[in-house]
Amino acid sequence: MNAITIVIGSICILMIAYRLYGTFMAAKVLKLDDAKETPAHALNDGQDYVPTNKWVTFGHHFAAIAAAGPLVGPILAAQFGYLPGLLWLLIGAVIGGAVHDIVVLFASMRKQGKSLSEVAKDELGPVAGFCTGLAMLFIITITMAGLSMVVLHALENNPWGTFAVAITIPIAMGVGLFYKKTSNLKLASTLGFILLMIGVFAGPSIQGTVLGEWLTLDARTLGFMLPAYAFFAAALPVWLLLAPRDYLSSFMKIGVFIALIIGVFIINPDIQFPAFTSFVAGGGPVIAGPVWPFISITIACGAISGFHAFVGSGTTPKMINRWSDIKAVGFGAMLVECLVGIMALIAAAALQPADYFAINSTPQVFQTLSMNVVNLPQLAQEIGLDLEGRTGGAVTLAVGMTYIFTSIPWFHGLAPYFFQFVIMFEAVFILTAIDAGTRVARYLIQDFFGEVYKPLKKVDWLPGSIFASALACFMWGYLLLSGDISSVWALFGVSNQLMASIGLIVGATVILKIADKRWYALTCFIPLVYLFVTVNYAGCWMITNVYLNEGNKGYNVLNGILSIIMLVLGVVIFITAIKKWWELWSQPRHPMGTELNMS
């Protein structure tokens, strides 16, 4: 199997799905009508609610949903072989992820851009609304820990990479200040990109210096620094750090993956991994569980992700200019993210399996696999960094992409620069997600504790913002320091897919209300049943075999308790939804499919 076959076949499938299934969802199921005002027009305030060009909104939405998930998940799942991950990415994105994103966006816009917890409260009742809000708080906390875990081993004892990532913080703040003063977006963007490149190429000069020694950090030190950074990022004005970092990283992500696709077409690398490895039944060094359910838990973003619901019921529904734009923004952005995940899978599968496992497992575990590395010593020498035992997925992606790029004759000898650029590229996206996610967690905490102490509900109240930001960072920082990538990423996967199940539950409820034909609700019911069963089986497996198993290295009572709470919340929401669905099913249907007395 070669890479070009996978890329061309995947692009064709995704384009056909967008043209046929996307049009069916938009025209038949959701009945998008441009004659109606969108919330962006009805509530236009020039700040949050702003009618925005379709492609600008697409860019914002894609940058927000496509963080580290579609990069890391497929790489970790390569343990099972290239075929399970490829099939789940394509099937999950078309049948699950794209449907989830478009119906959540639509459901939020029907309620004037409200968050998913508020939509659930309106559609399913106060119990489901409360459980959804609590689940969202748990999930966003776990998500921050899971994404941050990816950064640790990529920057561990890597002063060049740490410098390149650290320098992006003042660069992003400088771009934000410069744009605020001049309103010259083109010049601000150009200066920001040039400075980022300087940061990468200046990296070798700091190695062996006092600054290089200061930036040679172990994983535990980095584990304290990331939450500290997130605290300031969540408390600072959004225009100063979060927005310019998000904007600059969008150019990087699109550019890097266009370059990767071009590189694949130039050298057409062979896929070194088999379709299935010997770990499909479980017991792998990267993911302990079997291919099912863990392929669907490990690969969330790129196939279907509940994290998208935070965006689809957050900023995006307040920006949509016309109802028909939902197809491109909701359905289309998810399919593009799927392609990102497929390219990440190719980058991992192009490596020799022994090289892959040497990077993604500890040296002690790798010795038990009876494998001999092939290209890794040469790659480590070219890059100038010890690559073994750097778990988390980020280093594997950087090595895989470096291997592909440096196979092009023009780029031979540039391995260290490509490697550190990809590390910076990944880390910037992860920090962007941490910026936004911690801010969302802050809002959720203020909303919850604001029921007890009313001033906390004021998001512009400085003491409340400081308290909520500190609590959010403490919660996910503790998880980050108390686990490893295997246990934390599985916890993230279960919580994330539970959130996606909640999004599909809300979507199915809305479709039952408005659709001309009740069977249209199967568009949500089919992926919901699969995902809900998968999530609960995976959660129970992790609780019994890992988190509450004292003989397992991933033993962690806190993770076990969090998993139990989340699964219980999911069951409560599901039972509440079944009662609502039965009520809706019993209602007489209007000839045009509109709901009767069910608003």
Side-chain angles (χ1 to χ4, degrees), residues 16 37-38 71 113 121 162 168 174 177 181 183 194 197 236 299 314 334 354 371 393 403 438 516 537 550 561 565 590:
I16 292 170
E37 266 193 328
T38 64
L71 307 179
K121 182 179 179 180
T162 303
T168 65
L177 288 167
K181 291 288 185 182
S183 300
I194 291 172
M197 294 302 97
L236 287 172
I299 302 179
M334 179 65 240
M371 293 181 175
Y403 172 73
T438 304
D516 293 331
Y537 183 84
E550 294 185 7
I561 293 172
I565 291 173
H590 186 276

Side-chain angles (χ1 to χ4, degrees), residues 160 163 196-205 414 417:
W160 184 353
F163 172 78
L196 288 176
M197 294 302 97
I198 292 174
V200 174
F201 282 91
S205 64
L414 295 177
Y417 294 96

Side-chain angles (χ1 to χ4, degrees), residues 140-279:
I140 197 67
T141 300
I142 294 166
T143 298
M144 294 304 97
L147 295 178
S148 300
M149 183 69 73
V150 177
V151 179
L152 294 187
H153 295 298
L155 300 182
E156 182 182 7
N157 298 319
N158 179 7
W160 184 353
T162 303
F163 172 78
V165 171
I167 202 69
T168 65
I169 297 173
I171 290 173
M173 295 176 71
V175 168
L177 288 167
F178 183 82
Y179 177 63
K180 191 174 181 64
K181 291 288 185 182
T182 66
S183 300
N184 191 331
L185 183 60
K186 184 179 294 186
L187 182 56
S189 304
T190 303
L191 289 174
F193 181 77
I194 291 172
L195 290 172
L196 288 176
M197 294 302 97
I198 292 174
V200 174
F201 282 91
S205 64
I206 72 159
Q207 297 188 106
T209 66
V210 175
L211 179 60
E213 292 178 5
W214 289 348
L215 295 177
T216 303
L217 305 172
D218 58 28
R220 187 164 184 82
T221 303
L222 289 165
F224 282 104
M225 292 177 68
L226 283 173
Y229 156 77
F231 168 77
F232 289 102
L236 287 172
V238 69
W239 59 265
L240 183 58
L241 179 58
L242 190 149
R245 180 188 287 283
D246 193 14
Y247 176 73
L248 289 173
S249 63
S250 299
F251 284 104
M252 289 178 62
K253 171 160 273 190
I254 294 171
V256 166
F257 275 93
I258 289 175
L260 181 57
I261 291 172
I262 293 172
V264 165
F265 273 85
I266 291 175
I267 69 169
N268 189 20
D270 289 328
I271 300 300
Q272 303 295 334
F273 266 66
F276 299 95
T277 68
S278 58
F279 300 118

